[in-house]
Every structure is written in C-alpha cells, then in structure tokens.
C-alpha cells in the first residue's frame, strides 16, 4: 500500500449525502392507490416541529415560498399524507444490532418530514427512559396462551415511537445491548422466536386502532384503519397473514396495505413445520409458509413476501441479486421473481451521522474544514487505540458484525499481507466468538499496527468513521450497507466489495473504491 491518505478524495466524498429516504417516500406514495388511504392531517414546516432533519420537503417548501407561492413560513407543504406504520424487531437508537435498527430509527423521521403521519412499533427490550407507559393493554393469542402486551410511547422527531412491552422481550434482553435481541449468544436463536415475533406482529396490528395519540397538533386520535404497514424482515412476515386472517376477514383494515422490506435475505425465520399450529393461522396460509428444502420447514420471510402487497428491498442491485438465482436469493429467488421486488437504496440518519454536530468526536467539521480536522481526529483515534500517533500513517477502519457475511475473516487473513506497509488498522465488531478472538488477537500479533475491539460501541464507531482514512467493507454480500454512507459523509474513503448496495452507493474512483468480489488475494 502506498503511503497515501485520503485527502485527495475527501472533497468529493464529502459532497455525498444521504440516499434514498425521499425515493422511499415516493415509492410508498405509489402504493396509495385509494383515496381512502390518505389523511388530511396536514403538516407544517419542520421548523415548527423543531425537526432538525433537512429534507426535500423543506427545500421544496422553500422554493414554493420563494417562487411560485410566496407564502410565509408555517404554511402547509404537504396536502395529503399517508398513515405509515413501520414494524421491526429493532429500532435505533433504542435497539440496534445493525442496519435494520438504523433504518427504523432514521427513515421514519424522514417520512414524517415529508408530511406523513408515522409510527414505529418495536419491542421494549429495556426500560427506555424516554418512553412512557400508555396504560393501554391488548390481549393477543400467542401459541396456546392469551398474552397481555402493554404499549409504551414517545414522540420524537415527528414520529410516534411505540414499544411493545412483554416479558418475552424485556426479561430476555434486559438491556440496550443488541447482542441478546435474537438469542442468548451471537448466532443462537431463542427457541420461542416464532412466538415472540408473533406477539410483535399482533400488537403492531392493534396499535393504530387502540392508541389514542395526540403527539402533535396536526394529527390526533388513533391512526385508524387506513394505514400502510411497512414490515421489515422475517420477524414481521406474520403481519400480512394476521392482517388478512384476523382483521380483513371481519371487515377491518379493508384499505390497509403491507409493504414487506427485505433487509437481509440470509435471515428468513425457518422453523419446523409442526410450528405452523402455534401461529394460530388458518390452514389456507400453510402454502405461503411452506418451504421445500427437503426438511419439513416453514419460512416466515417466505410468507411475508407472498402475503404482502409490495415487496421492497434496500438497494436496486440487491434486488437484482435476489432474483439472480438460488445462491444470492437464498432459495427464495423463485417466489421473489413471481411477486416482483423494488430496490430502494437505504438512507442514513443525517442527524445522527453529521460531522458538523457529532457529539462523539472531539472536533466537529464540514466540507470546508475537513482537511484540517480529519488529521486531528485521526491522531485522537490513534491515541485512544494506543497506536502510535502519526497523521501521515494511513488508518484503515472496519466496523461490523463479525460473521462470514461481513468478510471479517477475509480481512483477518489478509492483514498479514499488507500490515508490513506503512498503515494501521482498527477493527470494531461483535459476533461469532471465534471471530471476536481473531480480531482481539491482532493487538498481540501487531502491537504497533492493529487493534481489534470486540464490543458494540456506538461512540467508537463514530470515532472510527471520522478518524480513519479508509473504511474497508469486504462483505461477501451486502444488501445495502450503511457504513459506506457514513464514511462518505465524513470524508472517509470506502473501499468496498462490489456487491449489493455497495455497488449502488460507492462510485469507483470518485467517492471510493470498488474491489470486485473480495477474497484474501
Ligand atoms: P448490517 O445491518 O448488515 O449489520 P449495515 O452496514 O447496514 O450492516 O449497518 C451496520 C450498523 O451497525 C452501522 O450503523 C454500524 O455503525 C453499526 N455497528 C455495527 N457493528 C457495530 C459495533 N460493534 N459497534 C457499534 N456500531 C456498530
């Protein structure tokens, strides 16, 4: 590796901003095929709601004010909005193991800023300080028991954040750490995950009807039945099934629609076929779950894809990959080809990932100060990591789940081949024990050059993004990837495998480098 820093690229990289939120909004509006699905809850300019987020809505409004329609601030900018209910197993910053949590955290405020009424529904894994008990209870049948779930709520950045409280979530996880959301250890699922997420889906279907929310002055009362549910990943695959079997069969939610968004097809929620009975669905849904893998298996993502009105995924290139064959589509390629799929590149949360306001870094910066500030932040990262402080040494960063998907093993194997060059490497990740040990050993092997931290540490992730020259993303597959977006916004050059959303977002030689399919060589 030549001794270069990222400086020659940063000015172009820094111009790259968030992707996708508005396109996503546009796509969802396309689903608004019935007038009944809209509401007249009109939203005033962001300024009035103290929404910090910069969105197209704001720009459009400004233009309208200046040019065509010189109205004073505070006038209506969106005539018709949708009632959107995002449902997911994670919702950052309250709960997050990766991009799913980021998207549930960042996309809804962007949608709200575009004039929609937006709710998220996710589990209450901890006693979130900012979310209050609504005292609203619902009873749902989970397996053969009637369970009572309680809703907690807060209103942040224009979004109703609803948390489903039940021992199946709180008692198991009991903490903000993402590592226990899906199982007691990385790679191990809770045995009752199908029941836990059955409860989440059923509670999410109740929330728009039973919660009388008066969070801001433009919308009040329950969301009602004219809603679009955005179900995310397999944990919400049951939602469209319950919508049809429990509600639409009784004349409720007749205008409601479901968009099912695939964040990662590698996780499908496969269970033994005998578990179908615990889902409390009529037999006619069996075929939607039926997954022919030679074993008696049901597949929740399979059902979500087939029973929803629209199938989305997080980047256009990943959408193509999903239908390209069994390998990339992880055996669901056939059904996705049938339903069709739209890829919309993920956005990042431009409020959380903003170098001009980031509280996790020592000095804030923007495109005009990046050249002066980045070397300082690099030295501060080097100091924090216990590495030799030298702004002329290129620093390569890696952040991600330690699993085969992310290629952290490829990286670890490749390190001996380039560590002799003038460079340092900092790796942050959690996941499989063996891979955690692999990165933790780096310090012993290369005390002057490498550090591996097996921890989930959001402030450190920000420091690495800001302080590194390069961010390496050697993923074997990557539905979208958010880290390269964060890197580009911070003037840090992403070096990425040419897969999934990395292809859509990193422009070779302009905002970063595409490395083809990654392997040790
Ligand atoms: P995926 O969803 O496949 O895990 P993404 O690139 O879409 O990958 O999103 C990863 C998100 O999780 C980013 O916001 C990244 O900063 C964060 N993240 C991953 N690992 C860690 C970690 N160990 N500590 C802090 N944040 C992490």
């Amino acid at each position: 590796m030549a001794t270069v820093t990222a400086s020659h690229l940063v000015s172009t990289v820094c111009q790259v901003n968030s992707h996708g939120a508005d396109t996503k909004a546009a796509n969802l509006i396309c689903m608004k095929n019935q007038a009944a699905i809209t509401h007249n809850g009109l939203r005033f300019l962001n300024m009035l709601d103290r929404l910090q987020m910069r969105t197209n809505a704001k720009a459009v409004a400004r233009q309208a004010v200046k040019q065509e329609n010189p109205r004073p601030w505070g006038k209506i900018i969106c005539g018709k909005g949708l009632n959107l209910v995002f449902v997911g197993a994670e919702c950052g910053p309250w709960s997050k193991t990766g991009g799913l949590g980021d998207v549930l955290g960042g996309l809804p405020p962007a949608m709200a800023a575009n004039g929609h009424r937006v709710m998220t529904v996710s589990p209450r894994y901890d006693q979130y300080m900012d979310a209050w008990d609504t005292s609203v209870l619902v009873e749902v049948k989970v397996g053969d028991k009637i369970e009572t779930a309680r809703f907690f709520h807060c209103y942040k950045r224009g979004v109703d954040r609803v948390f489903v409280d039940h021992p199946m979530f709180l008692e198991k996880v009991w903490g903000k750490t993402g590592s226990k959301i899906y199982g007691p250890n990385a790679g191990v699922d809770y045995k009752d995950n199908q029941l836990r997420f059955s409860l989440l889906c059923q509670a999410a279907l109740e929330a728009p009807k039973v919660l009388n929310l008066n969070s801001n002055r433009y919308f009040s009362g329950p969301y009602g039945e004219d809603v679009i549910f955005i179900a995310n990943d397999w944990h919400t695959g049951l939602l469209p099934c319950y919508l049809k079997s429990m509600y639409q069969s009784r004349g409720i939610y007749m205008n409601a629609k479901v968009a099912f968004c695939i964040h990662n097809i590698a996780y499908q929620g496969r269970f033994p076929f005998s578990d179908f009975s615990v889902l409390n669905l009529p037999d006619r849904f069996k075929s939607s779950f039926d997954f022919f893998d030679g074993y008696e298996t049901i597949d929740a993502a399979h059902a979500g894809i087939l029973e929803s009105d629209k199938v989305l995924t997080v980047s256009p290139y990943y959408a193509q990959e999903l239908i390209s064959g069994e390998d990339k589509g992880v055996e669901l390629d056939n059904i996705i080809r049938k339903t069709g799929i739209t890829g919309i590149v993920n956005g990042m949360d431009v409020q959380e990932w903003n170098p001009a306001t980031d509280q996790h870094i020592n000095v804030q910066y923007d495109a005009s100060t990046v050249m002066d500030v980045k070397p300082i932040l690099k030295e501060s990262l080097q100091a924090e990591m216990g590495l030799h402080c030298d702004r002329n040494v290129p620093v390569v960063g890696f952040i991600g789940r330690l699993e085969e998907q992310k290629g952290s093993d490829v990286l670890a194997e490749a390190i001996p081949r380039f560590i002799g060059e003038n460079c340092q490497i900092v790796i942050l990740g959690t996941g499989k024990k063996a891979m955690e040990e692999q990165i933790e050993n780096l310090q012993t092997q290369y005390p002057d050059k490498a550090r591996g931290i097996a921890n989930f540490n959001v402030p450190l992730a920000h420091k690495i993004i800001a302080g590194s020259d390069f961010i390496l993303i050697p993923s074997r597959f990557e539905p979208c990837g958010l880290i390269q977006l964060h890197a580009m916004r911070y003037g840090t050059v992403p070096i990425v495998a040419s897969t999934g959303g990395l292809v859509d977002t990193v422009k070779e030689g302009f905002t970063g480098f595409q490395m083809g399919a990654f392997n040790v060589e």
Side-chain angles (χ1 to χ4, degrees):
M1 181 185 286
T3 307
V4 289
T5 62
S7 55
H8 67 291
L9 277 165
V10 289
S11 51
T12 48
V13 172
C14 245
Q15 290 159 13
V16 177
N17 237 310
S18 66
H19 301 254
D22 296 324
T23 346
K24 266 199 166 90
N27 199 275
L28 283 164
I29 290 165
C30 291
M31 293 180 60
K32 183 184 70 173
N33 52 5
Q34 295 145 28
I37 245 172
T38 66
H39 58 70
N40 283 316
L42 305 175
R43 183 186 184 80
F44 280 53
L45 285 174
N46 303 356
M47 208 174 71
L48 294 181
D49 278 353
R50 300 209 189 94
L51 259 178
Q52 298 300 309
M53 188 161 279
R54 286 181 162 272
T55 65
N56 260 1
K58 199 164 176 174
V60 166
R62 264 205 199 111
Q63 235 170 2
V65 170
K66 273 197 205 141
Q67 298 164 7
E68 298 149 30
N69 194 1
R71 294 179 295 194
W73 286 102
K75 286 288 178 183
I76 290 157
I77 58 164
C78 182
K80 290 273 181 188
L82 304 175
N83 293 314
L84 302 176
V85 180
F86 286 81
V87 187
E90 301 179 22
C91 184
W94 295 274
S95 55
K96 158 171 158 176
T97 67
L100 175 63
D102 277 333
V103 172
L104 269 281
L107 178 59
M111 302 295 271
N114 276 332
H116 307 288
R117 190 179 190 195
V118 188
M119 173 192 291
T120 59
V121 184
S122 59
R124 181 172 178 261
Y125 296 112
D126 197 7
Q127 294 182 340
Y128 304 132
M129 298 284 283
D130 47 1
W132 294 86
D133 187 351
T134 62
S135 301
V136 176
L137 306 174
V138 286
E139 290 195 332
V140 293
K141 188 166 181 202
V142 181
D144 54 7
K145 293 199 188 112
I146 302 292
E147 302 286 353
T148 304
R150 181 181 277 268
F151 292 112
F152 282 66
H153 172 259
C154 63
Y155 180 73
K156 291 259 163 93
R157 296 165 69 195
V159 178
D160 287 303
R161 301 293 189 170
V162 173
F163 301 99
V164 178
D165 181 53
H166 188 277
M168 278 201 261
F169 301 123
L170 191 68
E171 274 178 16
K172 280 206 156 90
V173 180
W174 200 257
K176 290 182 193 90
T177 164
S179 59
K180 289 203 163 87
I181 287 179
Y182 303 109
N185 304 306
V188 182
D189 285 343
Y190 293 119
K191 294 215 163 29
D192 61 350
N193 268 351
Q194 67 281 54
L195 299 178
R196 296 172 79 220
F197 295 118
S198 161
L199 184 137
L200 173 67
C201 292
Q202 294 185 64
L205 283 160
E206 283 295 302
K209 293 194 304 102
V210 302
L211 288 175
N212 188 10
L213 298 172
N214 295 301
S215 310
N216 72 38
R217 55 186 160 128
Y218 316 114
F219 306 117
S220 59
Y223 278 53
E225 295 181 24
D226 293 335
V227 295
I228 294 179
F229 291 98
I230 299 102
N232 294 279
D233 270 352
W234 78 261
H235 326 103
T236 55
L238 291 167
L239 189 142
C241 308
Y242 290 138
L243 176 71
K244 290 175 184 172
S245 70
M246 294 179 178
Y247 296 93
Q248 292 182 332
S249 63
R250 289 157 45 211
I252 308 166
Y253 275 136
M254 297 311 281
N255 290 321
K257 302 276 179 207
V258 183
F260 185 75
C261 184
I262 300 170
H263 293 253
N264 192 336
I265 201 69
Y267 302 97
Q268 297 183 5
R270 292 183 186 175
F271 299 97
F273 205 89
S274 51
D275 279 4
F276 182 79
S277 59
V278 307
L279 303 178
N280 299 316
L281 284 165
D283 279 355
R284 69 188 154 89
F285 285 93
K286 262 188 187 161
S287 60
S288 293
F289 283 85
D290 206 348
F291 180 72
F292 299 103
D293 60 350
Y295 305 93
E296 295 270 282
T297 304
I298 54 172
D299 184 310
H302 191 278
I305 290 165
L306 286 178
E307 296 294 340
S308 295
D309 299 288
K310 176 100 187 154
V311 183
L312 302 172
T313 190
V314 291
S315 71
Y317 199 78
Y318 191 55
Q320 282 177 34
E321 288 181 335
L322 287 177
I323 54 174
S324 66
E326 211 175 84
D327 193 23
K328 292 257 161 74
V330 194
E331 301 171 296
L332 295 188
D333 52 307
N334 275 336
I335 61 156
I336 299 174
R337 268 194 294 276
K338 271 192 215 142
T339 59
I341 184 162
T342 305
I344 307 167
V345 81
N346 264 345
M348 73 181 124
D349 187 328
V350 288
Q351 189 166 309
E352 185 193 347
W353 293 95
N354 182 357
T357 55
D358 193 330
Q359 292 307 308
H360 299 304
I361 56 179
N362 295 337
V363 189
Q364 285 73 34
Y365 62 99
D366 60 20
S368 66
T369 50
V370 58
M371 305 297 274
D372 297 325
V373 175
K374 260 186 89 71
I376 300 170
L377 294 176
K378 176 176 7 184
E379 285 178 345
S380 133
L381 176 67
Q382 289 169 321
E384 185 168 339
M385 293 291 100
L387 290 165
H388 176 59
C389 291
D390 182 347
R391 60 177 58 192
N392 294 315
V393 176
V395 171
V396 180
F398 171 100
I399 303 165
R401 290 181 287 111
L402 300 177
E403 296 192 7
E404 283 74 11
Q405 176 197 340
K406 297 290 175 184
S408 62
D409 54 329
V410 175
L411 174 59
E413 276 193 55
I415 285 175
R417 317 250 183 131
F418 69 80
I419 201 75
E421 306 284 340
N422 183 27
C423 69
Q424 295 170 343
I425 181 152
V426 177
I427 299 180
L428 171 67
T430 51
K432 294 196 170 159
K433 267 276 145 310
M435 290 183 176
E436 288 190 353
E437 281 164 17
Q438 197 175 27
I439 64 157
E440 280 176 333
N441 285 337
L442 288 173
Q443 179 164 356
T444 323
Q445 289 170 284
Y446 313 105
D448 306 331
K449 296 258 179 159
R451 291 291 178 275
I453 298 102
N455 216 331
F456 200 90
N457 185 334
V458 171
L460 184 56
H462 281 248
K463 287 175 191 158
I464 294 173
I465 291 282
S468 302
D469 293 288
F470 303 100
I471 288 291
L472 199 56
I473 310 185
S475 302
R476 288 184 168 87
F477 66 96
E478 193 59 72
C480 181
L482 292 174
I483 288 156
Q484 79 280 12
L485 302 184
H486 303 158
M488 291 189 286
R489 189 141 203 254
Y490 280 62
T492 304
V493 179
I495 303 174
V496 304
S498 303
T499 178
L502 300 174
V503 173
D504 291 310
T505 55
V506 176
K507 287 191 197 154
E508 165 65 23
F510 181 65
T511 60
F513 297 110
Q514 293 279 342
M515 302 293 283
F518 248 112
N519 61 33
V520 176
E521 301 307 322

